[in-house]
Amino acid sequence: MSDALNIIQDPTLTYKQELLALARLGESTDDSLRYSDAYYEAKRKGALCDLNEGVMPYRPRYICPDYTLLFEKGCRFLELDPPKDLLEAVNALEIFYCHVPSITSFPVYLGDLDKLLEPFVIREDRAFAKKVLGLFLRNIDRVQTDSFVHADIGPEDSVTGRLLLELTEEMQLAIPNLTLRYDPEKTSDDFALACIRCMLKTAKPSFANHRMFVREWGERYAIASCYNGLSIGGGGYTLPRLRLYECALDAESPEDFLARELPRHIDLQLEYMDKRVRFIVEQSNFFKTNFLVTEGFVKQENFTGMFGVVGLAECCNYLLGIENKKKGFGMNTEATDLGLRIMDVIDVRVKAHEAPYCESYGHRYRLHAQVGIDSDGMDDSPGTRIPIGVEPPMLDQLEVNEKFHPYFPTGTGDIFKFEETWLRTPEAILPIIKASLARGLRYFSGYLENNDVVRVTGYLVKKSEIEKLRAKKQSLNNVTVFGMGAQDGGHALDRRVQQHDESSGR
Amino acid sequence: MMRAPVAKIIPFSNVDGPGNRTSVFFQGCTFNCLFCHNPETIHLCKSCGICVEKCPAGALSFDASGTVVWNSTACVGCDSCIHVCPHDSSPRVRWLTVEDLMKEIRRSAPYIDGITTSGGECTLQNEFLIELFTEVRKLGKTCLIDSNGSFDFEADPRILTVSEGVMLDVKAADGAWSNILISHTQELVLKNLDYLLSVNKLHEVRTVIFPGRDTENAEAVRTVAGHIGSACPYKIIRYRPFGVRERYQKLLGEFETETEYAERFARLARECGAAKAFVV
Ligand code: SF4
Ligand code: SF4
């Protein structure tokens, strides 16, 4: 049976999912973008992974349009005037979203929704504004059917922000993903507590370290897709990953890995990124003709390449001969220290590399702790995370995270699953988040153990939708299938639960 | 140097006072409450050795002086030792100095609002606590005491000068039921209740509601409500058999108290003046 026939006969795919799968199949028939033999060899071994980005990039992976421009001057291509009231604003956004490409063909960044809509919301009666925003969220959930669709709020409190939280709780939708840009000086405790309550019940918003992102990107940064830091008016060209465990398999010792195998693989991934970025900018149409570029919603110089890594934990455990992961990376200083040395080598080497078309970032790519894909199974944990199921008590886990998160301007994060008493005491979670962000944590996600909407590795799915796929029915959300794979292969929903009394790991 | 027997340290707890707190549980208690959830904290270890041979991980042994010692790295946390101990004790107790304890508290300090000392009965370690609290306060953190009320705070109020207050358990009204339930009278507990109120150091009061014990529950709740009024929160706690010694589960109940039933007593408490009474 041909691949195309497989796709069109798969009962779990919706029409749109079939279309996207067929497009990918079509793209794969071209081979004009070629890499070195060493690259293909490393890819075959599983040490490098291109995340199935497709062989012929016809758009950057992630695009973060500057929606304030749409509101200031409208869009000629889409024949939209600047909106004059809330209905027009929401309508303009809904139309615009359908024309923002990405690796998934869905918009991965919906804008800073509270800032964009607040001027319109405060002119309306609260109940009317809530009704409009509710329909807006419903439109996003049913039209942009992919959990990598992401909206941001904060750091300041706002009427819009509060309404979005209320609606998120009431509607229990997996889409869009949501982030609070948290700054202890700009975000009131009261707003942060409202976000924590909503996060426990719906797995969103997550807390982003606003100060850290501003230091790296300036004020105008977006959190897109899972937890990816990027520039507003820019984005990410490509995101391949080093699968560090597989990278280490041919190393004779930790020292051999640091001196030889690791740099070799870093260079191969840089080769892939350089060629791909050049192709997107020089060969494909996107930066020449797309209205997002020609009308200034994004600028090519605000894009960068995202250098991804996964499986640091398994890599360190393998190199040190640690078989019991309960005593490995995250719980064991030697393994954690080796992890830091590995990250230093990656950081220094990637920063030393002159990258094409990354003008706004000193011609450099930026590191990303990739969140894992369903086929990783238990071999490579997301980014630098401690393997699921062996996480130590929360304090220990946070301390490890705080050491690794600063390496990754284009995103990393960790997820904490709480038992139900924490819902009564959000004020017990806030000091934890505050302290951890101040000490280097980049991104904090949480949810209650018994929710339907749960955070898998970075994105949200409904457990009830996974059950639909298991029953061979269709799920509107493109990402549900990844959630099912991550649950089966990576036990991604079995992470440790934070009890009401978190015992010491020692 | 002064040392105290520490049974357990919980770096993050959301159920031992306001916000996120580090809870320190001391070994040894002045009461013997039938419904105690962690009866292994009641007595100090007698080094009888019964648990030593039952440890599957070889984590327990005798030292040269014949004292049972615990190897925390070898321990796999199976709890066999506390289940076989006939003396309501545990071999997993560490005798720590204030500085030992501060090392652990300093680690969690950035993430917490304060600490809560509990037990067993932590006021058995009064001198130790005074020193500990003095140090913790230097970090700008608050210190709460979780107590059964068997320490005479009025006779020696020094600890209160370095603490935000006391979370007091009032388990029964005075009388026969008190003698059965906690093998003690309530005289000192109630005196403490009044004294702590008068010096504004009563953080909250808690009473456990037992299934089917209409009279005993009502008497306890009326007593407390009559004393505290609306001066502090009053937590009505549902009895849960988890962890309770089996022989006492037979007497007190093998099922937890229904929420509805507990709500009845929260209402009663409010009717008797304890405006801030609620079920947890
Ligand atoms: S813990 Fe109990 S059983 Fe073990 S030595 Fe001490 S008193 Fe004996
Ligand atoms: S819990 Fe007790 S019996 Fe079990 S391993 Fe630890 S010391 Fe031994």
Side-chain angles (χ1 to χ4, degrees), chain B residues 44-52 68 81 84-87 89-91:
Chain B
L44 290 177
C45 170
K46 296 181 166 58
S47 286
C48 71
I50 289 174
C51 60
V52 174
V68 168
C81 47
V84 299
C85 175
H87 303 294
S89 184
S90 159

Side-chain angles (χ1 to χ4, degrees), chain B residues 129-145:
Chain B
L129 291 191
I130 292 172
E131 232 180 79
L132 177 71
F133 287 5
T134 308
E135 289 304 311
V136 170
R137 290 192 138 204
K138 288 184 190 158
L139 303 175
K141 303 292 166 187
T142 58
C143 302
L144 287 173
I145 302 163

Side-chain angles (χ1 to χ4, degrees), chain B:
Chain B
M1 201 179 296
M2 190 166 34
R3 287 178 184 272
V6 173
K8 197 173 179 186
I9 302 170
I10 293 177
F12 292 176
S13 167
N14 66 332
V15 293
D16 292 301
N20 189 32
R21 311 189 76 79
T22 295
S23 294
V24 184
F25 294 82
F26 290 90
Q27 184 76 12
C29 194
T30 44
F31 291 170
N32 187 353
C33 303
L34 304 191
F35 62 95
C36 182
H37 291 114
N38 33 15
E40 73 280 5
T41 61
I42 296 176
H43 297 298
L44 290 177
C45 170
K46 296 181 166 58
S47 286
C48 71
I50 289 174
C51 60
V52 174
E53 44 203 81
K54 295 286 159 116
C55 173
L60 301 172
S61 56
F62 289 98
D63 70 4
S65 65
T67 308
V68 168
V69 288
W70 171 58
N71 176 343
S72 66
T73 3
C75 174
V76 295
C78 69
D79 285 355
S80 302
C81 47
I82 58 177
H83 289 136
V84 299
C85 175
H87 303 294
D88 295 327
S89 184
S90 159
R92 291 180 291 172
V93 168
R94 297 180 294 161
W95 286 83
L96 302 182
T97 63
V98 169
E99 184 46 33
D100 293 335
L101 201 44
M102 282 307 295
K103 268 200 198 107
E104 308 215 10
I105 292 172
R106 273 191 212 103
R107 229 186 111 208
S108 55
Y111 308 84
I112 58 173
D113 295 287
I115 72 162
T116 299
T117 55
S118 184
E121 174 53 30
C122 64
T123 54
L124 279 170
Q125 318 298 332
N126 188 46
E127 299 299 326
F128 186 94
L129 291 191
I130 292 172
E131 232 180 79
L132 177 71
F133 287 5
T134 308
E135 289 304 311
V136 170
R137 290 192 138 204
K138 288 184 190 158
L139 303 175
K141 303 292 166 187
T142 58
C143 302
L144 287 173
I145 302 163
D146 181 343
S147 172
N148 63 15
S150 61
F151 176 85
D152 191 339
F153 288 99
E154 188 168 11
D156 181 359
R158 287 173 303 147
I159 184 79
L160 297 177
T161 63
V162 284
S163 160
E164 271 58 39
V166 179
M167 302 192 284
L168 191 69
D169 286 321
V170 181
K171 305 174 196 228
D174 214 2
W177 175 238
S178 175
N179 296 335
I180 297 171
L181 190 68
I182 68 170
S183 5
H184 240 273
T185 68
Q186 290 295 324
E187 206 182 66
L188 184 53
V189 179
L190 296 175
K191 178 180 164 233
N192 274 320
L193 187 64
D194 290 330
Y195 173 70
L196 291 169
L197 265 176
S198 72
V199 294
N200 207 9
K201 290 285 182 184
L202 190 62
H203 187 81
E204 68 180 35
V205 181
R206 287 116 27 139
T207 298
V208 174
I209 299 298
F210 299 95
R213 300 225 165 235
D214 297 3
T215 323
E216 294 87 343
N217 293 333
E219 280 178 358
V221 164
R222 272 201 204 95
T223 307
V224 173
H227 283 257
I228 64 173
S230 57
C232 76
Y234 184 22
K235 286 191 180 160
I236 302 293
I237 297 175
R238 296 189 295 140
Y239 162 81
R240 294 176 179 87
F242 181 78
V244 175
R245 286 162 288 189
E246 249 166 63
R247 55 189 185 279
Y248 299 134
Q249 282 187 26
K250 297 228 159 58
L251 176 73
L252 295 170
E254 288 169 337
F255 299 98
E256 61 181 45
T257 302
E258 305 273 345
T259 312
E260 300 262 300
Y261 183 71
E263 289 290 355
R264 250 171 66 185
F265 295 97
R267 274 199 301 280
L268 175 66
R270 289 193 292 268
E271 280 158 25
C272 299
K276 297 187 212 162
F278 59 95
V279 175
V280 291

Side-chain angles (χ1 to χ4, degrees), chain A residues 356-474:
Chain A
Y357 301 114
C358 301
E359 292 86 346
S360 295
Y361 316 102
H363 309 278
R364 294 296 178 270
Y365 295 139
R366 293 191 158 184
L367 299 190
H368 180 84
Q370 204 273 331
V371 84
I373 52 175
D374 50 339
S375 57
D376 288 337
M378 301 294 273
D379 290 343
D380 289 281
S381 288
T384 63
R385 268 186 212 159
I386 297 169
I388 213 143
V390 300
E391 302 98 324
M394 194 170 188
L395 173 57
D396 307 64
Q397 192 177 347
L398 288 169
E399 284 184 340
V400 174
N401 275 313
E402 289 157 12
K403 294 194 176 96
F404 287 97
H405 281 202
Y407 287 102
F408 300 103
T410 57
T412 184
D414 210 350
I415 310 172
F416 299 89
K417 180 161 136 186
F418 291 89
E419 71 61 272
E420 59 177 321
T421 63
W422 291 87
L423 187 58
R424 291 200 301 263
T425 59
E427 65 284 352
I429 297 181
L430 185 54
I432 299 178
I433 296 178
K434 272 190 194 185
S436 203
L437 295 187
R439 296 160 68 83
L441 194 84
R442 182 180 292 278
Y443 197 78
F444 180 103
S445 303
Y447 64 89
L448 282 191
E449 58 176 327
N450 296 324
N451 287 355
D452 187 26
V453 180
V454 293
R455 192 167 288 274
V456 180
T457 53
Y459 50 88
L460 303 169
V461 295
K462 286 190 171 184
K463 287 192 268 187
S464 52
E465 288 284 305
I466 294 182
E467 291 317 313
K468 274 196 202 167
L469 283 185
R470 288 197 198 290
K472 294 273 176 265
K473 296 200 190 107
Q474 299 174 355

